[in-house]
Amino acid sequence: MSSESRASTSADGFTAEERAAMKERAEELRAQKGRVKGAAKAAAELQDVLDAIAKLPDDADRALAERLHVVITEAGPQLAPRTWYGMPAYALDGKVLCFVQPASKFDTRYTTLGFNDTAQLDDGAMWPASFAVTSLGPAEQKTITELVQRAIG
């Protein structure tokens, strides 16, 4: 996080970026309530993800998010794309399994591919649940494919 973002932390302890993400999540929840279930809902949620990616301010960030979207949806076709705190996310049985946090979202150094606790990545007493992604070549695509498939179970 940049020093400018840290400096913009308000009395409630949240940065402007964090408050914006919380507002985006509230909007997502309101939109979900108004949507009927089924194919129309899935199509609307997919479009929300594509729109969130298209709105990314940084070309490199956008290109990486687009590529991650393709890799994740190919690795887990049963995952349902949707936004989560304004970020591209992929749900299994209604729960977000993994998400893409673009670097520009919170003014961080790199894009993060994160997995929530529903992901079946358990490996002993400690394992990684998020990964920094700076580029996406064949080796990274293979690793992400394996991670997503393992997370699904």
Side-chain angles (χ1 to χ4, degrees):
M1 188 180 294
S2 73
S3 59
E4 183 178 301
S5 291
R6 280 190 223 107
S8 67
T9 301
S10 66
D12 63 5
F14 295 107
T15 65
E17 294 89 353
E18 290 167 333
R19 284 192 304 283
M22 288 185 282
K23 286 180 184 177
E24 286 174 312
R25 183 66 183 139
E27 289 172 20
E28 291 163 2
L29 292 171
R30 281 191 292 279
Q32 285 174 359
K33 282 184 180 179
R35 292 184 175 153
V36 293
K37 301 218 183 252
K41 178 181 178 187
E45 289 181 340
L46 171 59
Q47 190 59 54
D48 290 346
V49 169
L50 298 175
D51 291 346
I53 292 170
K55 290 178 189 173
L56 290 173
D58 181 67
D59 289 342
D61 217 14
R62 189 177 327 106
L64 188 55
E66 287 170 349
R67 193 67 200 120
L68 282 165
H69 173 74
V70 169
V71 172
I72 292 166
T73 56
E74 287 177 356
Q78 67 272 54
L79 297 177
R82 69 183 208 197
T83 54
W84 188 60
Y85 294 93
M87 299 178 288
Y90 306 87
L92 181 64
D93 299 327
K95 295 183 179 180
V96 172
L97 180 81
C98 62
F99 59 91
V100 176
Q101 180 183 302
S104 59
K105 182 74 175 173
F106 295 108
D107 192 27
T108 57
R109 197 177 83 186
Y110 46 76
T111 293
T112 301
L113 172 62
F115 291 87
N116 283 337
D117 61 344
T118 57
Q120 297 184 30
L121 296 175
D122 303 35
D123 185 18
M126 187 173 106
W127 58 89
S130 65
F131 300 83
V133 182
T134 58
S135 65
L136 201 55
E140 292 80 19
Q141 289 180 39
K142 182 177 186 276
T143 299
I144 291 168
T145 296
E146 290 168 356
L147 281 167
V148 169
Q149 291 172 344
R150 187 169 150 211
I152 292 168

